[in-house]
Amino acid sequence: MTTPPPSDDVPNDSEPSPAWAPPDAAASPIVPPAPAPDVVPPAPAGRRTNRFAVIALVTGLLGLIPVAVGFVIAALVQTGRRGEKGKGLAIGGLVASVAWAAAVALTLALLPADVNESSVREDGKVAVIAMRPGECFNEFEEGPAGMFVRRSPCSTPHQGEVGAEGELPNIPYPGEKEVAAGALVVCQERTDFLLGSQYGPDLKLHVAPPDENAWKNGRRAAKCVMLYAGSGRLPTSLDQTLETRSKDTSELLPGDCIRKWEDYGIHPLVPCDRVHQYEVFAVYTMHGDEYPGVEAVEEKVSEGCTKRARKVWGANPPNDIDDTAYVAPTEQSWGYGRRIVICLVEGSPEPLKRSVVPH
């Protein structure tokens, strides 16, 4: 029996046919796949500056303190939540606001203690109660609202001068009439020496007592006004018109420079640019019915002069001040109603050669 041959007449020992390939497979080279391109992450967008931070800085620099602080807080909250820029700007606005607040506080601290919102009128006149001893004025007027004047340099012709001030006792407000009566007594005692001026016969005393609001706020100083009723005007400050340049202890005023302290009570004064031993920086009156005793008086006077020294110089007294001194009322002078305290400074290590008391 024979085996039939293959249908395509191909001998049995021929090679097997290769697998099928596309017609152009033999002519096309194998190209490896292109490498994937490097993936570059997109650049992050720039952080936005918080607009409240900008406003905080601007308002802080302009001194709009409450507005600036509000924007500072808002800016700090938003920059933290949103990742925005501007934290430094907000802090800058806060620093500027603090600087403005410090400047305002310093300005208020340097104002007279009894200055209030009604001390200066729209026409520029100032309330006498807000003036300092030694200040001169023109256009004096007195009415239900108090005494008002226009400040004037003492070196030019003027109508009058605040001759002194006297502090009334630290008690509950006793009433308008009682305060006025006490202020008159204090001012008569404090300005009696000015009647020794060559203009003394024509000087009239007017008293500006503290009102109830000032009293309750701790401002109990009465201002003693010397108004010139003669012809013409005063040419200079009253202390320059005194017929003598020596003063009794009770006549001394802040700014008086004393060449040498005399135990008998009459002290020679000199211009403050000359050598002197003492300068008066405060004068005030003690109050009370009975003499409290030597030790109690000295303790109270020491405290009173220290308090007034801080008011005059703050925490930085002049370097040429050695120490403060005081003259306290004795039991005998207390009985006669003379209770004035004189607070002084003494030079160190040499005598004073200039005024150290602000005028």
Side-chain angles (χ1 to χ4, degrees):
M1 178 175 164
T2 61
T3 301
S7 60
D8 53 359
D9 298 316
V10 176
N12 287 336
D13 58 352
S14 61
E15 298 264 341
S17 301
W20 180 88
D24 57 352
S28 300
I30 299 175
V31 179
D38 293 336
V39 178
V40 180
R47 289 190 302 158
R48 185 176 62 179
T49 299
N50 184 271
R51 60 191 180 92
F52 284 166
V54 177
I55 299 174
L57 179 61
V58 173
T59 53
L61 292 174
L62 293 176
L64 305 176
I65 300 173
V67 178
V69 172
F71 280 113
V72 166
I73 295 173
L76 292 177
V77 171
Q78 289 190 358
T79 53
R81 289 179 178 176
R82 301 177 181 177
E84 294 177 328
K85 295 189 297 183
K87 182 177 180 181
L89 298 177
I91 294 175
L94 181 62
V95 171
S97 298
V98 171
W100 272 103
V104 171
L106 178 61
T107 301
L108 293 176
L110 295 176
L111 288 175
D114 49 7
V115 170
N116 55 51
E117 63 277 5
S118 62
S119 63
V120 181
R121 299 192 318 200
E122 291 183 358
D123 61 2
K125 286 190 173 182
V126 63
V128 166
I129 198 68
M131 296 178 68
R132 300 177 184 271
E135 287 191 290
C136 299
F137 59 81
N138 279 306
E139 301 181 33
F140 175 85
E141 63 175 83
E142 185 174 10
M147 300 179 193
F148 286 83
V149 299
R150 193 174 301 280
R151 281 191 173 102
S152 176
C154 293
S155 57
T156 62
H158 53 277
Q159 190 179 8
E161 179 180 331
V162 180
E165 69 178 7
E167 192 164 337
L168 301 178
N170 185 10
I171 59 175
Y173 184 71
E176 184 177 348
K177 291 183 178 180
E178 290 77 5
V179 170
L184 178 60
V185 171
V186 169
C187 283
Q188 285 176 333
E189 179 184 37
R190 298 295 311 281
T191 60
D192 183 64
F193 75 98
L194 291 175
L195 300 179
S197 163
Q198 64 188 84
Y199 300 96
D202 294 315
L203 292 176
K204 305 300 180 184
L205 173 64
H206 291 254
V207 179
D211 60 21
E212 184 173 2
N213 287 334
W215 190 284
K216 290 180 178 179
N217 288 325
R219 304 192 299 267
R220 302 182 305 278
K223 300 302 169 73
C224 314
V225 178
M226 305 304 292
L227 187 65
Y228 182 57
S231 60
R233 291 287 188 265
L234 295 170
T236 186
S237 59
L238 289 173
D239 66 336
Q240 299 297 321
T241 66
L242 296 173
E243 295 181 352
T244 176
R245 294 303 297 161
S246 294
K247 286 187 179 182
D248 180 78
T249 302
S250 63
E251 300 172 348
L252 293 172
L253 292 173
D256 282 344
C257 294
I258 303 168
R259 180 173 58 82
K260 182 181 179 182
W261 189 265
E262 301 291 353
D263 293 335
Y264 58 84
I266 304 297
H267 312 288
L269 304 185
V270 296
C272 292
D273 58 357
R274 298 183 184 177
V275 174
H276 53 281
Q277 183 181 11
Y278 295 100
E279 184 173 359
V280 180
F281 70 85
V283 178
Y284 69 97
T285 301
M286 295 187 68
H287 299 279
D289 296 328
E290 297 183 358
Y291 183 70
V294 175
E295 292 185 0
V297 166
E298 290 184 351
E299 181 178 355
K300 290 183 178 180
V301 168
S302 178
E303 292 177 355
C305 287
T306 299
K307 176 182 176 181
R308 286 163 175 81
R310 292 196 187 103
K311 185 176 180 180
V312 172
W313 295 292
N316 299 304
N319 293 331
D320 44 1
I321 291 180
D322 176 27
D323 199 1
T324 58
Y326 57 80
V327 178
T330 64
E331 184 174 6
Q332 183 179 12
S333 66
W334 190 282
Y336 287 122
R338 299 183 63 177
R339 304 171 185 183
I340 290 179
V341 177
I342 312 295
C343 305
L344 310 112
V345 292
E346 183 176 7
S348 171
E350 301 294 333
L352 295 168
K353 298 179 181 178
R354 67 182 183 94
S355 175
V356 295
V357 177
H359 293 280

